[in-house]
Amino acid sequence: MIEDQLDATFTALADPTRRAIVGRLARGDATVNDLAAPFAMSLPAISKHLKVLERCGLISRSRRAQFRPCHLQREALDAAVGWIEDNRRIWAERFDKLDEHLRDLQEPQGKERS
């Protein structure tokens, strides 16, 4: 289940338009018209992007009178950030071990030349 959620989140964030929308929503709630303003695309196209973001849980929509503002669901981003941080730590440890191993391999060669 968690991996499916991560797949959906990273798939949604793979698109630059959706990343820009998420970036805009990080500053606060916005209507579809507000979100569409910087893009040279139709409202239905923006709505399709919003549906992708909504399906994966990155955004939610509420109803205020005739407006349906979009809201960033930070918890979904937190899961992705957690996965990235865990993997960054793992790879940093692996690279540190590789660096240490390479230094160990080079030391005897340096001593033999002296």
Side-chain angles (χ1 to χ4, degrees), residues 10-101:
F10 286 123
T11 298
L13 293 174
D15 183 274
T17 300
R18 291 192 286 266
R19 285 194 307 273
I21 290 170
V22 168
R24 167 54 186 87
L25 290 174
R27 297 191 315 263
D29 293 359
T31 65
V32 175
N33 286 333
D34 294 336
L35 295 171
F39 302 104
M41 60 178 68
S42 66
L43 284 178
I46 291 293
S47 290
K48 286 182 182 181
H49 284 294
L50 294 175
K51 285 178 186 174
V52 170
L53 292 169
E54 194 171 19
R55 270 195 307 268
C56 74
L58 283 171
I59 69 166
S60 62
R61 296 194 218 187
S62 59
R63 189 174 292 279
R64 290 187 205 146
Q66 70 270 26
F67 299 104
R68 291 198 61 199
C70 298
H71 175 78
L72 181 64
Q73 297 296 329
R74 295 181 190 275
E75 302 81 27
L77 280 178
D78 290 343
V81 168
W83 183 89
I84 291 168
E85 288 174 351
D86 288 345
N87 281 280
R88 179 185 296 150
R89 182 184 43 77
I90 290 167
W91 281 103
E93 289 171 3
R94 288 179 181 176
F95 284 129
D96 289 345
K97 287 180 183 178
L98 178 61
D99 284 343
E100 183 179 325
H101 178 69

